[in-house]
Amino acid sequence: KAQKYHQHVQELLPWVEDCSAQVSKLEVSLDPAQLEASLLKAKVLQSDVEKHHSLLEALNKSADCLIDASQADEEGVREEKASINQKMYTVTEELQANPSHRSSEHT
């Protein structure tokens, strides 16, 4: 159980941190070409986030199993799980709130 949990963490954590960095680099511009590029990046990131939700669910399930079985530092697992979930939530919210992403919904 611990191995499965750590495998999910090792797969999801670097991805969500990279995704967060990419979201923060999205730019809104009056230049149509740059705006189109930002819209495309936002759409790709949004799709990638949606694909990774199943991995987040798997991480949450394995964390809960690990905590229930008391096979690890429960507080550490809870904190790590909460941290990853918060990062994923933040990325999702930033993509949905991104002005370039919102404008794509109206075109």
Side-chain angles (χ1 to χ4, degrees), residues 16 53 56 84-94:
V16 77
H53 271 284
L56 181 66
I84 292 171
N85 275 274
Q86 182 59 46
K87 288 177 184 181
M88 187 72 147
Y89 175 80
T90 300
V91 165
T92 302
E93 288 297 306
E94 286 176 355

Side-chain angles (χ1 to χ4, degrees), residues 76-88:
V77 171
R78 286 182 211 273
E79 288 174 5
E80 190 169 47
K81 174 186 166 189
S83 173
I84 292 171
N85 275 274
Q86 182 59 46
K87 288 177 184 181
M88 187 72 147

Side-chain angles (χ1 to χ4, degrees), residues 30-92:
L30 295 177
D31 175 43
Q34 189 175 8
L35 181 59
E36 188 63 32
S38 289
L39 287 172
L40 183 58
K41 286 178 187 176
K43 287 178 185 179
V44 168
L45 286 169
Q46 183 69 36
S47 175
D48 203 22
V49 166
E50 290 169 8
K51 290 176 187 173
H52 280 81
H53 271 284
S54 61
L55 182 57
L56 181 66
E57 289 173 16
L59 177 130
N60 287 334
K61 286 179 185 177
S62 63
D64 291 342
C65 287
L66 195 57
I67 290 166
D68 291 343
S70 298
Q71 291 185 351
D73 170 26
E74 291 182 37
E75 192 59 33
V77 171
R78 286 182 211 273
E79 288 174 5
E80 190 169 47
K81 174 186 166 189
S83 173
I84 292 171
N85 275 274
Q86 182 59 46
K87 288 177 184 181
M88 187 72 147
Y89 175 80
T90 300
V91 165
T92 302

